[in-house]
Amino acid sequence: KHKLRFFVGDASREGFGGTTQYPDGLVSTREGLWDPEFSEGGSNLREAQNQVNHLISEIREGCHDGCEVWAATDNSVWSAVWNKGLSSVRHLFHLVLVLKQEARKHEVYLHCFHISGERMIASGVDGLSRGNYDAGISLGIDIRQFLPMNLSAWDVAGEVLATWCKSW
């Protein structure tokens, strides 16, 4: 009950934002602007770097020792690289390696999963990377409302999903 955390991170071309919500509802947010040279890199690198920077910082501070952290991203490449554990892209592989090593040292059970861009926007984390504080967590809404992990795809999409599957 007291060992579960949720993290949502997003990066834009100009900036980054990330939020961790703790069991008591406390929220830790980190946001900023990329160095202009770094911002020219790909979106997959920016997304990964943002998540890794935020999580490693909190892990090294001991914020998640012995805990389970569910990290959401709207970047499918980063989610796949994390879950696959490797990538032919050297810098993405290195980020996964460093984060997994730190998590292991601190007994942090880290799960990365994909959410839609619409959920990222609604959560307000998308806006953090752009200086917009008019949605989701910035308004005090619980981050878990945007991460319905207790629902199946059928519960969320209902008839739309059924119709799509039948079209196969």
Side-chain angles (χ1 to χ4, degrees), residues 30-116:
R30 181 177 171 273
E31 60 185 284
L33 297 173
W34 297 118
D35 180 85
E37 287 180 28
F38 185 78
S39 70
E40 296 300 319
S43 64
N44 297 331
L45 174 59
R46 288 191 303 269
E47 189 81 22
Q49 192 71 60
N50 175 46
Q51 290 220 346
V52 170
N53 287 350
H54 187 103
L55 289 167
I56 281 185
S57 173
E58 290 186 337
I59 289 170
R60 286 180 177 161
E61 289 173 10
C63 298
H64 305 309
D65 288 0
C67 294
E68 188 169 357
V69 178
W70 287 84
T73 178
D74 64 351
N75 184 288
S76 57
V77 170
W78 172 240
S79 178
V81 168
W82 172 262
N83 288 300
K84 188 176 175 184
L86 55 111
S87 172
S88 59
V89 179
R90 203 158 187 73
H91 54 266
L92 290 178
F93 171 75
H94 180 71
L95 289 172
V96 169
L97 183 64
V98 170
L99 184 53
K100 285 191 177 199
Q101 287 173 329
E102 281 301 317
R104 187 175 183 106
K105 273 189 225 173
H106 292 264
E107 295 182 14
V108 176
Y109 302 93
L110 192 53
H111 311 280
C112 184
F113 65 102
H114 185 267
I115 62 173
S116 71

Side-chain angles (χ1 to χ4, degrees), residues 105-149:
K105 273 189 225 173
H106 292 264
E107 295 182 14
V108 176
Y109 302 93
L110 192 53
H111 311 280
C112 184
F113 65 102
H114 185 267
I115 62 173
S116 71
E118 290 175 357
R119 285 191 187 279
M120 187 66 74
I121 292 167
S123 74
V125 176
D126 178 78
L128 292 178
S129 65
R130 295 171 176 82
N132 179 353
Y133 307 103
D134 293 332
I137 56 153
S138 296
L139 301 176
I141 298 173
D142 190 318
I143 196 75
R144 294 172 291 188
Q145 283 192 275
F146 307 102
L147 311 173
M149 294 167 47

Side-chain angles (χ1 to χ4, degrees), residues 4-20:
L4 184 61
R5 284 97 164 92
F6 295 95
F7 169 76
V8 181
D10 195 41
S12 66
R13 184 174 187 88
E14 302 80 24
F16 58 86
T19 284
T20 302

